[in-house]
Amino acid sequence: MHPHQPAVPGMPTEPLPIAQVNPGMSVVDAAGEAVGTVSAVQQPGTDVRPDAPAGEAERLMATGYLRVDVAGLMAGDAYLGGDQVAHVSEADPGMVTLTVLRGALARAT
């Protein structure tokens, strides 16, 4: 078996980036612009429903999600799916880089 092939079909060979995210980490968008700070993390397949519109909430629950305390003009909470996490740097306090721009985040309702 190749070392990067999953032991079980359909299972990832390496942990998803969301598995490395912890509350308190800084979040930047795909352009490197500061978004805010992670306030909560739910892994994929969670039963914890985010405060987001129907449809979006189910998508977030399936992919896992982060609740981000957004700073600046768009202050408040926003959600992003685990599939929107591009990279995680675990240096203290850590940084989450997104695959999307700040405006693509789902706002809490």
Side-chain angles (χ1 to χ4, degrees):
M1 175 180 287
H2 188 275
H4 294 291
Q5 287 181 327
V8 177
M11 294 297 292
T13 58
E14 296 179 15
L16 296 172
I18 192 173
Q20 301 169 354
V21 178
N22 294 304
M25 289 183 159
S26 298
V27 180
V28 296
D29 71 6
E33 297 293 323
V35 173
T37 305
V38 176
S39 58
V41 181
Q42 291 295 327
Q43 297 302 316
T46 183
D47 289 333
V48 179
R49 184 180 175 83
D51 189 16
E56 181 67 14
E58 286 73 20
R59 183 191 73 77
L60 290 167
M61 291 167 64
T63 65
Y65 63 90
L66 310 178
R67 186 177 67 221
V68 178
D69 181 15
V70 178
L73 294 176
M74 295 177 57
D77 286 337
Y79 292 100
L80 61 103
D83 57 347
Q84 294 175 306
V85 175
H87 177 73
V88 178
S89 168
E90 295 184 77
D92 190 22
M95 183 181 308
V96 179
T97 303
L98 306 179
T99 61
V100 298
L101 297 177
R102 180 182 177 129
L105 301 180
R107 303 298 295 180
T109 56

